[in-house]
Amino acid sequence: MLKKLSNFTIKSLLTFSGAFAGITILFISIFLFKEGLGFFKKPAVEEGYSLYVNSKNRVEDFNSKRIKEIFDHEITNWSELGGDDVDILLFRMDDIFNYYSDEELGEEYEFLPEKLAEVIKEEEGIIAFVPHLYSPAEYSGVKELSVPNITPSDFFAGRDWLPTATPSPLFGTLPMLLGTLLVSFFAILFALPLGLGVAIYLSELAPEAIRKFLKPIIELLAGIPSVVYGFFGLVVLAPLVQKTFNLPVGETALTGSLILAIMALPTIISIAEDALRNTPRAMKEASLALGATHWQTIYRVIIPYSKSGISAAVVLGIGRAIGETMAVLMVTGNAALIPTSLFDPVRTIPATIAAELGEAPSGGAHYQALFLLGAILFIITLFISIAAEMISKKKNYKDM
Amino acid sequence: MNKRTKQKFAFFFFRLFSIIIVGILIAILGFIAVNGIKVINWEFLSSMPKEGMTEGGIFPAIVGTCYLIIGSMIFAVPLGVMAAIYTVEYAGNGKFVRFIRMMTNNLASIPSIVFGLFGMALFVKGLNFGDSIIAGSLTLGLLALPLIIRTSEEALKAVPESYRTGSYALGATKLQTIRKVVFPCALPNILTGIILSISRVSGETAPILFTVAAYFLPSLPDSIFSQAMALPYHLYVLATSGTDIEASRPMAYGTALVLVVIVLFFNLTATLLRQKLSKNMKNK
Amino acid sequence: MIVTKNINFYYGDFQALKNITMSMDANTVTAFIGPSGCGKSTFLRLFNRMNDLIDGTRLEGECLIKGKNIYDKSINIDALRKDIGMVFQKPNPFPKSVFENVAYGLRVNGIKDKKFIADKVEETLKAAALFEEVKDKLHKSAFELSGGQQQRLCIARALAVEPSILLMDEPASALDPISTSKIEELIHELKKKYTIVIVTHNMQQAARVSDKTGFFMLGELIEYNDTKKMFLNPDKEITQNYITGRFG
């Protein structure tokens, strides 16, 4: 009886362990998305603050971008937003001292809301950025702006990532999406020919002695920590790029691509080499027997036969490049701007999360935006992993 | 250009590429070794950092990394090995097992920063461990889990079926067979996998950024709920945002060298162990 | 056509062929028979230098084809292999369409003329008695054909580059009896244009298709005679024992 119980316990324990990976993925999805999707419930104005205007102001349409443009002096008149022809007057908390003295506001600022309301009533074109604590909303002549929540299009299509701007932080992820794409694309562009070439060399050309020597070297390359690559890139590659191309700084997308290419190489090489080696000998012999050279056999028969394995190698290499954090962070500069060339500094998605999470107040919009980015990254890499598996399982040709 | 010449061209480039790869490795390792060795001495390895990280040593970072290695392995090894035993010895080949294998593969390709994010959300905030060794160990353990599962699976699969049938034929139960025959036989290869994941875990930065790592602590950590310094994080900060980057540079090289030596030591040990073991298996 | 003089062949330290001297005339079918591992396939593969692909092999003696020593340094191996076709034991079509399989040899030898290629493909598929069965499937994957069809495809593929000699290494051993007899008929037809050497395990097959037969054992050429004589009244007792099945 006891034996049966212990057998059962052990079996359940083992089953649980087996399922643990799946459980973890489930949990990761839950946590990331819970936090991340809360982002879209956040208003477009910094938390704890509101915007107040004169009650005669008819303008209703506000979003993060507009607010930023207003406070950046890019929009200067309410008529540009469909309102009356009145110049916009920006008002932040400190400006209250232009109107009233300390005594008038009270020792503990107990008169502040009332005085604030007076200013707002007076100035038709005013827009005031005020903490909730001092809200003048209850006074007549003052209207609190209802600001919409941050929208998905703000997030996905927004071109500016300024999470600490006031009054309206901007969470446009286009710079990071493009940055990630740019850096990963060029990384693969560099790594693929190099990796495939080495894979061909290892599987078809190298004598056994060299193979025994090269394979551990590639595994060593794979084992070097990301932060060490970043350090190397920072201290050697970036100055090199700077000098070669005559740039103000060496931390560019190009540098990032180069380092990522080196990091993706071992993955591409080992998977592609395995695929190439699996080509049946008979097929190679048939080609040679017809008078084809070794190289002709490689590109006409071996590579087409190993197509699915090579594709899997590339896809996994891409996955590696996209998810890489530290090396890219240290080497591509710190500008969350839309890149226009390989020589601009960029920010990738993982680098952004790593760089900013420490400073984002927990539960705030910035924090949640970063989680949302993490959730997106998670989905992308999950996708890539599944795609790679499907590709490598897809046997184009029946085994003879 | 006739086809023999085309072949010469193509093969020349492939040989060149291979030389380039070796060159890259030598460049990276050589550079760090040459610059780092100037800084390494017993004081560097055994004393606390001083003068805003421009002098002194990296002892606490080494200690922190050791704690994290131990912590993550305590979590990942039993769980991972048991999971492998389940999928290889117990589960059949049905949909459930294939699903589990797919999930393990997917877990393996999740970027390290996502683990860091998750670790922070669950361990630091959710379970309220705060920035602590335990939070960092658990996060790193999750990262190492797929690797340990995969290598343990292969180790178990490599045990010849005849061993199992022989044991059953003598009347042993499944559990006894695993405990007394299969597992001991697979153990060396399982160990290799563990060593490999130690190598991986000691070098990871992103998972510990928000779960345990501190730049400077006045003393060594005294419990699993305290923060710790760690080598990869130390290197990162020294290189990018220390108090005086130029002056800390030598320390950075030293840290990089120590980190690389540790990581490569484990990596090479695992590789050599694997080669030696496969030779033994062939002789059987 | 093919002449060998005192051929000794080694795989490392192991001697696979011992002092083989023989010759084969043009437009004949010669069969090599013998127990497994006796060296007949190794000997066959000497003629198109396929053994060169294996490390550590060594050859002594001469192998002349059309009067020239094919192991001479000055020989262009690709051209040699183009002139000598090979069909393997298991059909090994390329992962390409039926058409492209046959066209492969032409393309790798630099032929680009589309019409020439198309004509040649049709011609050789007919010669291999396969055209009628695949004419509607020319652009489908070769793997969709049956085993017997694939082997005939491999024969057509070998013929497309206009070889003078055809080497066949147990070409029907992986096929069913019907496909086998189709291939044997084919060999009869092909003999008119080509010189054929066939290695086979199947003695009845050797008796059916060949003009002359060579019996190999443990790397030696025990007997080489006209097929009729070999099977009815061989010179050596060992040959008699092998043919009547006293040993495998």
Side-chain angles (χ1 to χ4, degrees):
Chain A
M1 173 65 205
L2 194 62
K3 218 177 183 189
K4 265 208 159 172
L5 188 62
S6 69
N7 264 345
F8 176 72
T9 331
I10 293 184
K11 192 145 189 231
S12 336
L13 196 61
L14 289 176
T15 314
F16 170 71
S17 310
F20 195 75
I23 297 177
T24 308
I25 293 199
L26 189 65
F27 267 69
I28 294 182
S29 324
I30 293 178
F31 271 82
L32 289 182
F33 278 99
K34 196 181 83 159
E35 207 56 65
L37 288 176
F39 176 69
F40 293 123
K41 301 204 185 101
K42 286 278 192 309
V45 174
E46 190 182 337
E47 299 216 49
Y49 285 75
S50 278
L51 291 169
Y52 302 94
V53 293
N54 188 299
S55 43
K56 291 199 206 127
N57 196 321
R58 296 183 290 127
V59 180
E60 296 284 316
D61 236 352
F62 284 96
N63 59 31
S64 312
K65 195 145 196 284
R66 285 228 167 135
I67 297 174
K68 172 179 181 288
E69 284 170 354
I70 292 175
F71 277 81
D72 274 351
H73 302 280
E74 284 171 40
I75 298 181
T76 50
N77 192 303
W78 287 108
S79 59
E80 294 175 59
L81 294 170
D84 302 322
D85 183 9
V86 181
D87 280 336
I88 298 180
L89 178 64
L90 297 178
F91 186 94
R92 294 177 192 267
M93 266 322 295
D94 291 341
D95 296 335
I96 192 73
F97 295 111
N98 296 342
Y99 296 80
Y100 297 98
S101 67
D102 273 333
E103 301 87 55
E104 290 171 297
L105 295 171
E107 258 200 42
E108 285 160 25
Y109 299 113
E110 55 272 24
F111 301 125
L112 184 46
E114 189 187 336
K115 298 296 180 197
L116 202 48
E118 280 174 36
V119 177
I120 294 177
K121 233 195 313 193
E122 272 295 312
E123 306 279 1
E124 243 191 83
I126 198 171
I127 176 166
F129 179 57
V130 175
H132 281 154
L133 189 58
Y134 299 121
S135 165
E138 50 180 0
Y139 297 95
S140 67
V142 174
K143 186 167 82 162
E144 183 175 346
L145 275 187
S146 65
V147 177
N149 290 340
I150 307 181
T151 65
S153 84
D154 281 340
F155 186 75
F156 290 106
R159 314 188 81 218
D160 301 292
W161 174 266
L162 296 159
T164 49
T166 57
S168 182
L170 289 176
F171 295 105
T173 56
L174 216 48
M176 280 91 81
L177 289 170
L178 290 178
T180 305
L181 245 71
L182 184 68
V183 169
S184 308
F185 175 73
F186 277 93
I188 295 296
L189 201 67
F190 297 145
L192 185 56
L194 206 66
L196 201 55
V198 177
I200 293 177
Y201 177 70
L202 273 177
S203 61
E204 291 292 316
L205 302 176
E208 189 63 25
I210 294 195
R211 248 194 119 234
K212 280 218 173 98
F213 168 72
L214 253 187
K215 288 212 87 172
I217 293 216
I218 293 176
E219 278 184 37
L220 271 181
L221 221 50
I224 296 181
S226 159
V227 62
V228 173
Y229 275 116
F231 183 55
F232 179 76
L234 190 62
V235 164
V236 172
L237 213 53
L240 198 65
V241 167
Q242 181 178 0
K243 242 189 280 178
T244 322
F245 296 99
N246 242 322
L247 303 166
V249 267
E251 281 87 350
T252 62
L254 177 65
T255 325
S257 300
L258 287 172
I259 280 287
L260 270 190
I262 300 178
M263 296 176 76
L265 271 173
T267 308
I268 295 182
I269 293 178
S270 51
I271 299 182
E273 193 231 343
D274 267 346
L276 291 168
R277 286 206 126 210
N278 268 322
T279 311
R281 193 148 175 239
M283 209 165 272
K284 291 192 244 181
E285 289 193 346
S287 170
L288 291 167
L290 286 163
T293 61
H294 194 183
W295 172 229
Q296 282 176 317
T297 306
I298 291 177
Y299 77 80
R300 282 174 185 272
V301 173
I302 299 180
I303 291 184
Y305 183 83
S306 319
K307 240 180 14 201
S308 58
I310 297 179
S311 308
V314 175
V315 170
L316 285 171
I318 293 178
R320 179 92 214 262
I322 290 184
E324 186 34 60
T325 315
M326 298 314 293
V328 186
L329 178 56
M330 291 165 87
V331 136
T332 55
N334 252 334
L337 298 170
I338 295 187
T340 52
S341 85
L342 266 183
F343 299 115
D344 289 336
V346 288
R347 268 284 195 77
T348 61
I349 294 178
T352 306
I353 301 174
E356 296 180 7
L357 193 61
E359 290 157 31
S362 178
H366 191 189
Y367 182 82
Q368 292 181 323
L370 290 174
F371 266 81
L372 192 53
L373 275 179
I376 293 172
L377 187 62
F378 174 63
I379 296 289
I380 294 179
T381 45
L382 210 62
F383 215 59
I384 288 183
S385 162
I386 295 179
E389 243 188 82
M390 279 176 29
I391 291 180
S392 62
K393 288 237 168 73
K394 180 178 161 205
K395 292 216 163 123
N396 294 323
Y397 311 109
K398 288 183 296 187
D399 282 317
M400 300 281 301
Chain B
M1 218 196 313
N2 76 26
K3 53 187 191 173
R4 281 271 150 183
T5 318
K6 280 189 195 161
Q7 173 167 290
K8 281 212 179 105
F9 240 140
F11 288 0
F12 166 72
F13 272 109
F14 296 154
R15 293 198 174 96
L16 185 64
F17 289 169
S18 307
I19 296 179
I20 291 179
I21 300 269
V22 179
I24 291 177
L25 183 71
I26 295 180
I28 296 180
L29 292 184
F31 179 74
I32 291 180
V34 161
N35 284 303
I37 204 92
K38 299 180 198 157
V39 183
I40 305 278
N41 53 42
W42 181 246
E43 200 209 320
F44 183 73
L45 296 172
S46 64
S47 55
M48 310 285 283
K50 309 192 247 268
E51 304 289 341
M53 297 297 169
T54 56
E55 286 176 42
I58 55 170
F59 183 62
I62 299 180
V63 168
T65 296
C66 288
Y67 285 158
L68 286 173
I69 291 178
I70 297 175
S72 57
M73 288 301 124
I74 290 181
F75 171 64
V77 171
L79 203 57
V81 175
M82 283 200 289
I85 293 180
Y86 174 73
T87 47
V88 175
E89 303 290 327
Y90 280 89
N93 218 334
K95 277 203 181 138
F96 185 55
V97 183
R98 277 185 280 144
F99 179 72
I100 290 183
R101 287 226 168 85
M102 193 172 81
M103 286 293 115
T104 311
N105 272 338
N106 291 338
L107 201 63
S109 35
I110 292 181
S112 50
I113 186 73
V114 173
F115 279 112
L117 215 48
F118 176 63
M120 184 179 100
L122 178 58
F123 303 126
V124 174
K125 297 242 150 65
L127 295 178
N128 235 331
F129 292 148
D131 271 11
S132 55
I133 293 182
I134 187 168
S137 301
L138 288 170
T139 310
L140 284 172
L142 280 179
L143 186 88
L145 195 63
L147 190 57
I148 294 188
I149 294 181
R150 197 183 283 166
T151 47
S152 304
E153 265 190 356
E154 303 210 352
L156 290 166
K157 278 190 198 163
V159 174
E161 191 61 30
S162 53
Y163 287 20
R164 294 183 187 87
T165 28
S167 171
Y168 293 145
L170 289 165
T173 64
K174 189 165 200 154
L175 205 56
Q176 288 173 319
T177 306
I178 295 177
R179 253 180 51 215
K180 293 177 189 282
V181 176
V182 179
F183 186 72
C185 180
L187 192 58
N189 277 315
I190 292 181
L191 275 176
T192 306
I194 295 177
I195 296 177
L196 218 62
S197 42
I198 291 182
S199 165
R200 175 94 195 268
V201 152
S202 26
E204 283 287 344
T205 322
I208 59 176
L209 276 177
F210 312 115
T211 54
V212 60
Y215 178 45
F216 177 68
L217 295 171
S219 59
L220 294 177
D222 51 5
S223 89
I224 59 172
F225 291 104
S226 29
Q227 280 188 307
M229 291 167 69
L231 284 170
Y233 183 67
H234 203 69
L235 175 60
Y236 168 60
V237 183
L238 279 179
T240 55
S241 51
T243 34
D244 183 347
I245 297 189
E246 284 302 316
S248 310
R249 205 33 82 73
M251 300 271 291
Y253 281 118
T255 312
L257 184 56
V258 172
L259 182 58
V260 165
V261 165
I262 290 181
V263 166
L264 291 188
F265 166 71
F266 284 114
N267 204 315
L268 276 172
T269 310
T271 309
L272 288 175
L273 202 64
R274 189 189 285 151
Q275 272 185 4
K276 204 180 106 166
L277 287 175
S278 65
K279 277 201 194 122
N280 283 350
M281 291 287 262
K282 279 200 187 127
N283 287 338
K284 277 187 183 159
Chain C
M1 197 65 162
I2 306 179
V3 176
T4 68
K5 296 184 186 165
N6 304 105
I7 294 277
N8 286 294
F9 187 80
Y10 302 84
Y11 287 112
D13 290 330
F14 171 67
Q15 182 167 14
L17 295 172
K18 301 179 183 154
N19 210 355
I20 311 217
T21 300
M22 57 115 74
S23 69
M24 291 170 266
D25 296 329
N27 297 101
T28 58
V29 180
T30 309
F32 293 166
I33 60 174
S36 292
C38 64
K40 44 193 203 293
S41 283
T42 308
F43 189 55
L44 187 77
R45 290 161 69 98
L46 282 183
F47 304 143
N48 64 353
R49 295 186 61 166
M50 286 304 271
N51 289 327
D52 290 7
L53 300 176
I54 306 173
D55 285 331
T57 56
R58 211 175 78 232
L59 175 74
E60 288 166 16
E62 279 189 334
C63 183
L64 306 166
I65 295 190
K66 296 188 207 164
K68 275 208 273 203
N69 183 356
I70 60 173
Y71 280 86
D72 193 66
K73 293 263 158 81
S74 65
I75 291 281
N76 180 339
I77 295 192
D78 303 329
L80 176 73
R81 293 192 180 136
K82 177 179 176 295
D83 192 45
I84 302 184
M86 186 166 229
V87 179
F88 299 76
Q89 186 171 356
K90 273 179 78 177
N92 52 7
F94 298 129
K96 297 174 193 292
S97 68
V98 169
F99 184 93
E100 282 304 323
N101 261 279
V102 183
Y104 184 83
L106 297 167
R107 292 195 200 281
V108 296
N109 279 298
I111 296 178
K112 298 199 171 117
D113 185 329
K114 281 193 187 165
K115 185 162 192 317
F116 181 82
I117 293 180
D119 289 342
K120 204 61 166 146
V121 169
E122 187 175 323
E123 178 193 320
T124 50
L125 282 173
K126 283 184 181 157
L130 187 61
F131 187 68
E132 287 303 310
E133 292 167 55
V134 298
K135 64 182 178 194
D136 299 322
K137 304 190 215 171
L138 283 180
H139 296 286
K140 294 217 159 164
S141 164
F143 288 91
E144 289 180 26
L145 303 179
S146 75
Q149 290 173 321
Q150 286 185 10
Q151 191 65 305
R152 279 178 281 149
L153 177 64
C154 292
I155 295 176
R157 177 176 73 184
L159 294 178
V161 289
E162 295 169 7
S164 37
I165 298 174
L166 205 54
L167 305 176
M168 305 179 106
D169 193 346
E170 307 204 35
S173 66
L175 302 178
D176 61 277
I178 296 186
S179 307
T180 303
S181 66
K182 281 206 178 134
I183 296 216
E184 289 179 10
E185 273 173 45
L186 201 51
I187 295 180
H188 262 298
E189 273 302 307
L190 292 174
K191 160 166 117 177
K192 301 177 191 161
K193 276 179 77 178
Y194 306 92
T195 306
I196 302 182
V197 185
I198 171 170
V199 165
T200 178
H201 250 133
N202 182 334
M203 271 170 303
Q204 289 76 23
Q205 182 174 89
R208 284 193 292 266
V209 301
S210 63
D211 302 314
K212 284 184 117 162
T213 303
F215 170 55
F216 290 78
M217 210 174 83
L218 297 176
E220 288 181 45
L221 178 60
I222 308 287
E223 190 173 333
Y224 179 48
N225 252 321
D226 287 342
T227 300
K228 281 216 178 74
K229 179 165 194 315
M230 187 76 126
F231 281 84
L232 292 177
N233 185 18
D235 289 336
K236 301 232 169 74
E237 193 186 329
I238 288 192
T239 318
Q240 171 81 310
N241 287 341
Y242 179 71
I243 287 177
T244 54
R246 291 241 178 95
F247 61 91

